[in-house]
């Protein structure tokens, strides 16, 4: 019986962390789908949102208001990033865009270091996020449940958006064939702005959950999440939205599994094992689990 | 309706269109003929606002298209059905058709046009919820034309609609082109298959390496010994 509860607990853990990876990976996938850009600065949107929320919390605002402002700040930062850094070089080789995203990362992180000092600050998460809920022998962090529920709701909304609204269908169409979408009258600037806005909003949500999870905020906090999100989207199939979600959950599960199964001496090297698993996967499915080569059927 | 005057287009250093001048009157079906690389697709992409001319003018219903964005050009009713079909493989047939009407704000009109597309291509109705990638080549071409029609074109530009299709399917596609022509849709048809195109067109332009080398009515061109030899001489003309 205890094994069962242990497994259940680990499963909740895995789904919770997987939810965060999935939400992050969606943002990467949406932008990559249309622009072929791996936006490494996506992680810094987490930082922007979290600092905004932190400052407002410290100023005495209620958590709800601070959280909304943080999400809004991430969204706005994403839109500005697109407008200022990526739009001027649209159509440039992929490598130029990738390098630009590194530049944006370096700029944002150093701006944060100048503004807020390089040291981390505690994130005063409200009690309802940090409680441990007890169900019989089972102890679950409320944050895990909230992350799972929030991600679930957002994924449902996102699915409705991309399948039921014209803007969503246009976004998928543009990701598949930008030229054909333009010939149908899709406004490229608008679709790309949509992709950045939605992805950045999700990053803002992840930022709050992430900050509450690790209990602190620092200028470089976006690095890990974006790296994990990148791995997740490669696992699922780069550019595929369902792939990004699946990859997020697979990565979360893999990490928790390794955490539990590896001998204690090896757990510090858990990520190395994760990357070995990724390499093995890519040997067999170079396009990821859901990555297809449907593009051209001649 | 559409007028190109001395249009020059470059791909970097490559001079692709060297002064194209042509005209399409309302209700006409004009064919743009020529070999691979003559500049036929480049001409259409320039009209659609995807490529920009370095020199020359493109007027469409009195507007200068060289200064209007690609999505605005679609809104003005100049619609291109591109070469190679370029349907959205991951979207369903319905979503593909709906994408054709992405800029329209008249749901009743869209619904009416959807029914109209189904009467032209009944097979699409049966495939409505399949993804575009599962269709055969011919069905994909029908979907591509149907998608363009959903934009309610006043000027329909078709780029190589018969490319790579079986003769029976080519016939079906050309039947529909003729039907559209009869309904008054203005059509600019790009084809390598000159024989097939001259059967349905009113007039034609012949392009060679970025220049118009011949133009005239179908009767004039068909009687021209050069056209006969180079473009209609073979069995299929492709």
């Amino acid at each position: 019986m205890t094994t069962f509860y242990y497994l259940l607990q680990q499963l909740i853990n895995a789904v919770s962390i997987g939810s965060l990876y999935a939400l992050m990976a969606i943002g990467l996938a949406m932008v990559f789908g249309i622009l072929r850009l791996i936006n490494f600065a996506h992680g810094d949107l987490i930082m922007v949102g979290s600092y905004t929320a932190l400052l407002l919390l410290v100023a005495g605002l209620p958590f709800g208001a601070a959280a909304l402002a943080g999400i809004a700040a991430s969204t706005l930062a994403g839109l500005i990033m697109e407008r200022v850094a990526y739009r001027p070089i649209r159509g440039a080789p992929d490598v130029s865009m990738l390098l630009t995203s590194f530049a944006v990362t370096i700029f944002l992180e150093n701006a944060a270091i100048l503004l807020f000092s390089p040291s981390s600050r505690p994130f005063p998460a409200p009690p309802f996020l940090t409680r441990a809920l007890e169900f019989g022998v089972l102890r679950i962090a409320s944050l895990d449940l909230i992350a799972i529920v929030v991600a679930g709701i957002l994924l449902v909304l996102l699915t409705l958006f991309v399948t039921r609204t014209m803007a969503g269908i246009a976004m998928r169409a543009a990701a598949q064939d930008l030229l054909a979408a333009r010939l149908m009258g899709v406004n490229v600037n608008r679709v790309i702005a949509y992709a950045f806005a939605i992805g950045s909003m999700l990053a803002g949500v992840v930022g709050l959950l992430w900050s509450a999870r690790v209990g602190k905020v620092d200028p470089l906090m976006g690095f890990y999440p974006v790296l994990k999100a990148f791995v997740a989207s490669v696992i699922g199939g780069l550019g595929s939205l369902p792939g990004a979600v699946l990859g997020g959950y697979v990565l979360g599960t893999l990490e928790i599994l390794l955490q539990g199964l590896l001998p204690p001496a090896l757990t510090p090297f858990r990520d190395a094992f994760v990357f070995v698993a990724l390499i093995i996967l890519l040997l067999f499915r170079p396009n990821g689990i859901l990555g297809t080569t449907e593009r051209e059927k001649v | 309706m559409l007028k190109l005057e001395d249009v020059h287009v470059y791909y970097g250093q490559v001079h692709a269109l060297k002064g194209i001048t042509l005209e399409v009157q309302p209700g006409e079906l004009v064919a743009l003929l020529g070999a691979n690389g003559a500049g036929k697709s480049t001409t259409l992409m320039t009209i659609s606002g995807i490529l920009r001319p370095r020199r020359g003018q493109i007027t469409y219903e009195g507007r200068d298209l060289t200064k209007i964005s690609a999505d605005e050009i679609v809104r003005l009713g100049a619609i291109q059905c591109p070469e190679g079909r370029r349907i959205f493989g991951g979207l369903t047939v319905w979503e593909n058709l709906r994408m054709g009407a992405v800029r329209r704000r008249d749901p009743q009109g869209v619904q009416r046009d959807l029914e109209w597309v189904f009467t032209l291509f009944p097979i699409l109705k049966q495939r409505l919820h399949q993804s575009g990638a599962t269709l055969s080549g011919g069905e994909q071409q029908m979907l591509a034309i149907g998608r363009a029609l959903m934009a309610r074109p006043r000027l329909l530009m078709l780029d190589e609609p018969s490319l790579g299709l079986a003769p029976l399917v080519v016939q079906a596609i050309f039947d529909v082109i003729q039907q559209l022509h009869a309904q008054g849709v203005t059509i600019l048809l790009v084809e390598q298959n000159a024989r097939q195109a001259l059967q349905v067109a009113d007039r034609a332009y012949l392009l060679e390496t970025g220049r118009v080398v011949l133009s005239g009515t179908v009767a004039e061109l068909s009687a021209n010994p050069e056209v006969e030899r180079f473009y209609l001489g073979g069995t299929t003309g492709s």
Side-chain angles (χ1 to χ4, degrees):
Chain A
M1 235 18 213
T2 41
T3 339
F4 172 75
Y5 283 122
Y6 177 74
L7 279 177
L8 192 62
Q9 198 139 15
Q10 292 307 314
L11 183 68
I12 289 168
N13 243 334
V15 177
S16 159
I17 190 76
S19 297
L20 299 185
Y21 295 158
L23 291 180
M24 280 299 282
I26 287 171
L28 285 185
M30 277 191 156
V31 169
F32 181 83
I34 302 172
L35 285 180
R36 306 289 130 185
L37 157 73
I38 297 161
N39 181 18
F40 273 103
H42 192 65
D44 299 305
L45 297 171
I46 283 188
M47 180 269 291
V48 171
S50 299
Y51 265 103
T52 306
L54 170 72
L55 293 178
L56 292 174
L57 280 174
V58 171
L61 255 70
F63 181 75
L68 279 180
I71 294 168
S74 289
T75 312
L76 194 64
L79 285 169
I80 294 172
M81 187 190 284
E82 189 273 321
R83 193 70 189 76
V84 174
Y86 299 130
R87 194 179 293 184
I89 57 151
R90 203 181 290 162
D94 294 357
V95 178
S96 313
M97 296 207 288
L98 185 66
L99 290 178
T100 305
S101 85
F102 290 143
V104 173
T105 298
I106 292 167
F107 172 79
L108 286 176
E109 290 178 357
N110 284 284
I113 288 172
L114 284 175
L115 280 171
F116 309 119
S117 95
S119 52
S120 66
R121 294 200 199 178
F123 186 78
F128 77 88
L129 276 180
T130 49
R131 233 175 317 169
L133 307 170
E134 301 201 12
F135 302 95
V137 263
L138 206 59
R139 280 172 62 92
I140 302 169
S142 63
L143 183 64
D144 284 340
L145 279 188
I146 288 172
I148 292 169
V149 171
V150 165
I153 292 170
L154 288 174
L155 290 178
V156 169
L157 288 178
L158 194 71
T159 308
L160 290 176
F161 172 74
V162 298
T163 57
R164 299 290 157 83
T165 70
M166 206 56 237
I169 295 172
M171 191 183 280
R172 281 159 56 218
Q176 281 182 27
D177 190 334
L178 193 57
L179 174 61
R182 291 181 71 191
L183 289 175
M184 295 299 109
V186 169
N187 181 329
V188 184
N189 288 339
R190 192 174 308 163
V191 173
I192 291 173
Y194 265 119
F196 270 90
I198 293 171
S200 311
M201 194 195 69
L202 297 178
V205 174
V206 172
L208 295 168
L209 295 168
W210 194 278
S211 305
R213 191 183 183 91
V214 298
K216 63 187 172 76
V217 167
D218 71 84
L220 308 183
M221 66 183 291
F223 176 71
Y224 243 80
V226 79
L227 188 65
K228 293 302 172 79
F230 176 62
V231 174
S233 50
V234 171
I235 290 176
L238 206 51
S240 149
L241 294 183
V245 175
L246 180 69
Y249 287 113
V250 167
L251 179 61
T253 309
L254 198 60
E255 285 188 0
I256 299 294
L257 265 181
L258 287 172
Q259 188 82 42
L261 295 178
L262 286 177
L266 285 179
T267 44
F269 307 107
R270 183 195 69 187
D271 283 351
F273 287 90
V274 171
F275 285 111
V276 169
L278 175 67
I279 291 169
I280 294 171
L281 170 78
L282 290 183
L283 284 176
F284 290 100
R285 288 201 63 98
N287 292 315
I289 300 173
L290 293 185
T292 51
T293 44
E294 70 177 29
R295 280 202 162 258
E296 249 104 336
K297 186 183 169 189
V298 184
Chain B
M1 179 171 215
L2 175 76
K3 199 167 177 185
L4 276 71
E5 271 174 287
D6 194 31
V7 170
H8 290 257
V9 175
Y10 291 75
Y11 291 106
Q13 294 297 311
V14 182
H15 200 169
L17 297 188
K18 300 165 185 162
I20 297 278
T21 298
L22 62 82
E23 202 173 344
V24 182
Q25 300 291 336
E28 261 192 321
L29 199 173
V30 173
L32 207 51
L33 308 175
N36 242 338
K40 308 184 299 292
S41 299
T42 305
T43 304
L44 292 196
M45 286 300 173
T46 310
I47 298 170
S48 287
I50 303 293
L51 298 169
R52 295 296 179 182
R54 195 172 290 183
R55 220 153 23 102
Q57 273 195 322
I58 304 175
T59 41
Y60 166 78
E61 294 186 330
R63 286 190 177 81
D64 183 359
L65 289 192
T66 60
K67 298 193 168 54
I68 300 179
S69 67
D71 56 299
E72 280 301 305
I73 290 172
V74 168
R75 230 170 47 87
L76 295 174
I79 312 298
Q80 183 187 155
C81 176
E83 183 180 0
R85 310 186 274 269
R86 304 193 81 133
I87 59 157
F88 305 113
L91 270 57
T92 65
V93 168
W94 183 85
E95 286 172 331
N96 268 280
L97 291 171
R98 197 63 192 72
M99 272 307 291
V102 66
R103 291 301 296 267
R104 291 175 61 179
R105 295 285 173 272
D106 56 328
Q108 281 111 18
V110 170
Q111 190 56 40
R112 237 189 348 264
D113 285 350
L114 195 61
E115 295 302 328
W116 173 50
V117 168
F118 290 153
T119 59
L120 292 174
F121 304 112
I123 189 77
L124 295 182
K125 194 165 187 174
Q126 295 171 32
R127 303 265 187 268
L128 205 54
H129 300 292
Q130 276 174 239
S131 80
T134 63
L135 303 186
S136 72
E139 290 165 350
Q140 288 190 5
Q141 185 60 59
M142 293 175 193
L143 179 57
I145 295 177
R147 185 180 63 175
L149 293 177
M150 289 301 293
R152 174 156 294 200
R154 288 206 293 279
L155 169 68
L156 177 63
M157 294 173 274
L158 295 167
D159 196 347
E160 304 271 9
S162 72
L163 196 70
L165 300 181
L168 264 179
V169 185
V170 172
Q171 198 48 55
I173 297 280
F174 271 88
D175 284 348
V176 169
I177 293 173
Q178 250 173 326
Q179 234 174 301
L180 293 171
H181 181 35
Q183 289 176 16
V185 181
T186 310
I187 299 173
L188 182 55
L189 170 67
V190 161
E191 264 293 348
Q192 281 191 51
N193 187 340
R195 182 182 299 276
Q196 192 72 256
L198 289 177
Q199 274 172 18
V200 295
D202 301 316
R203 290 191 301 118
Y205 291 87
L206 189 56
L207 260 59
E208 259 173 36
T209 58
R211 286 193 180 87
V212 175
V213 291
L214 266 179
S215 66
T217 64
V218 165
E220 287 164 2
L221 287 176
S222 302
N224 185 311
E226 247 183 282
V227 175
E228 173 68 33
R229 192 146 53 94
F230 289 110
Y231 294 93
L232 302 175
T235 43
T236 60
S238 63

